Amino acid sequence: MEFKDLEIFQMVAQKGTITAAARELNYVQSNVTARIQKLEVELNTPLFNRHNRGMNLTPEGKKLLVYSEEILSLTNEMKKVIQSKEEPAGKLEIGTVETVIQLPYILSAYNKKYENVDMSLISGVTEGLQEDVLNHKLDGAFVTETELHPDLVSHDVFKEELVLISDLKETSLDQLKREPFLCFTEGCGYRARLEMWYKDENVKPQKVMEFGTLETILSSVVVGLGVTFVPKSAVSHLVKRGVIQCHSLPERYSKINTIFIRRSNSYLTSTIEKFIETIEQFNAGTI
C-alpha cells in the first residue's frame, strides 16, 4: 500500500465517481480504477458500492477513510518537521472568520519574510474552523474566543468591540429588536452574542436571514434590509461615509476577543511557529 493509493482513495470518496476523481487528480481513469482495485485486493474487502450514479463507501471503506486521513495528515506533518527552523517552507493552511480586518497586515508581513511558504487562507465561522483545525484540515485559524476543545490551544490576537448597526432612519434600540437579523450561519461567534442579547431581552427576531459574506450583510444593512452585529473596526469606513448607525450594547455582549487556535498535540512546525511569532510582533507593534 502506497501513500498515493490512499490519496486516490480519498479523492474518489470525496468526488463519488472515478471520472471526477481522475479529473481532479489529472490522472487517466484506468489508473484510478486500478489503484482502487489494488487497495481492495490488498485489504481483501470492497471499499465502495458501485451503482449507476457513481460510488459510495462501504462500512469498511468508511473505516479506511478515517485511518487514511490520519495517516496522510501525519505524513504531511512529518515533512514539515524536517524543515529548517530558520527557513520555513512548504504549505501553511490558515482559516479565519471574515471580520479580522487587520489580518492582511499579518499575512503580508509573514509572506514577505518567508517567501518559501505557500500560504492559503480559508474563511468560515468559528465552530466550523475549530472542527477543521481538530481534523487536521487547517494548520490554525483566527476565530472568536469561545470554550475550546481540550485538544486546541489559543494565542491572543485582537480585542474587539461589537456594535449593532442599522441604516440611517431614526429608530430606537427597542425598534431595532424587531428588525430582521442579518448574520452568518450557525456557529458564528458574533451571531451567538446577539442571540444571547435577544434571549436576555425576551425578544424573538422577526426574521433571521443568513448570508455567506460580510460584504453582502453590510450592503443589505445600508439599504435597510435589517440589522447585524459586527466588530466596530469592520464598519468604520461605513461610519465615515455616513451610511450606517452604530448602537452600543452592554459590555457582556459587545466585548469579544479574536484568537488564533492550533492543535495542542501537533508538532510546532517552523511554518506555524514563525506565523505565531509574526502575530506576536504585530501585537507588540514591531511590524
Side-chain angles (χ1 to χ4, degrees):
M1 184 186 302
E2 301 176 13
F3 290 139
K4 184 57 68 177
D5 294 334
L6 295 179
E7 290 175 358
I8 291 172
F9 164 74
Q10 281 192 5
M11 186 59 68
V12 174
Q14 178 184 335
K15 296 297 183 179
T17 68
I18 294 291
T19 302
R23 186 185 305 115
E24 184 73 20
L25 295 166
N26 199 26
Y27 287 176
V28 295
Q29 292 185 39
S30 58
N31 188 13
V32 175
T33 299
R35 293 277 195 149
I36 295 298
Q37 291 174 343
K38 174 174 171 282
L39 261 182
E40 291 180 322
V41 169
E42 287 186 26
L43 297 173
N44 194 32
T45 186
L47 299 173
F48 291 95
N49 296 309
R50 278 80 169 172
H51 48 77
N52 292 336
R53 297 186 304 279
M55 305 164 68
N56 64 283
L57 291 169
T58 63
E60 291 76 16
K62 292 178 181 178
K63 294 175 185 176
L64 178 62
L65 183 62
V66 173
Y67 283 108
S68 67
E69 288 174 344
E70 186 72 18
I71 289 169
L72 294 177
S73 174
L74 289 172
T75 302
N76 289 332
E77 186 171 308
M78 176 186 67
K79 292 176 181 177
K80 293 177 181 178
V81 166
I82 63 174
Q83 297 168 11
S84 163
K85 278 288 182 182
E86 295 305 317
E87 291 297 331
K91 288 186 176 181
L92 179 63
E93 296 173 312
I94 299 297
T96 182
V97 293
E98 279 209 26
T99 49
V100 186
I101 303 303
Q102 300 179 75
L103 180 57
Y105 297 103
I106 296 173
L107 299 181
S108 177
Y110 183 86
N111 188 57
K112 289 176 181 177
K113 193 170 184 179
Y114 305 109
E115 296 180 353
N116 293 325
V117 176
D118 182 14
M119 183 166 51
S120 60
L121 190 68
I122 297 170
S123 63
V125 296
T126 292
E127 287 187 11
L129 293 171
Q130 283 194 48
E131 287 299 315
D132 286 345
V133 174
L134 284 169
N135 294 326
H136 302 280
K137 294 179 180 179
L138 293 172
D139 295 304
F142 293 90
V143 299
T144 301
E145 186 174 33
T146 185
E147 185 174 346
L148 289 180
H149 188 282
D151 289 339
L152 294 175
V153 63
S154 68
H155 304 266
D156 290 337
V157 185
F158 311 115
K159 293 185 183 298
E160 299 273 16
E161 178 188 356
L162 302 179
V163 289
L164 186 67
I165 66 169
S166 65
D167 65 5
L168 293 178
K169 69 175 179 287
E170 189 172 341
T171 187
S172 67
L173 201 56
D174 281 337
Q175 289 172 317
L176 291 178
K177 294 175 184 177
R178 297 189 289 274
E179 290 290 319
F181 175 28
L182 316 184
C183 57
F184 292 112
T185 58
E186 290 281 357
C188 169
Y190 309 139
R191 172 175 177 167
R193 285 297 185 94
L194 193 58
E195 287 178 336
M196 181 170 65
W197 176 67
Y198 280 131
K199 182 179 179 181
D200 291 347
E201 294 289 313
N202 293 314
V203 172
K204 184 175 181 179
Q206 178 195 55
K207 184 182 292 184
V208 175
M209 304 177 68
E210 295 182 351
F211 294 83
T213 67
L214 177 64
E215 183 180 357
T216 305
I217 291 175
L218 297 182
S219 297
S220 299
V221 171
V222 169
V223 299
L225 182 59
V227 300
T228 195
F229 201 44
V230 291
K232 194 172 185 178
S233 60
V235 295
S236 58
H237 63 296
L238 298 178
V239 174
K240 287 180 181 178
R241 284 169 48 196
V243 294
I244 63 164
Q245 298 180 74
C246 293
H247 310 269
S248 297
L249 295 188
E251 188 171 309
R252 66 184 300 250
Y253 310 108
S254 62
K255 299 299 182 183
I256 200 164
N257 292 335
T258 297
I259 58 176
F260 181 76
I261 59 170
R262 60 179 179 85
R263 284 190 64 95
S264 58
N265 58 356
S266 288
Y267 182 86
L268 192 60
T269 64
S270 58
T271 53
I272 196 71
E273 182 179 42
K274 296 299 183 183
F275 191 76
I276 293 168
E277 183 180 292
T278 304
I279 293 173
E280 293 171 345
Q281 290 171 346
F282 177 82
N283 286 337
T286 57
I287 59 171

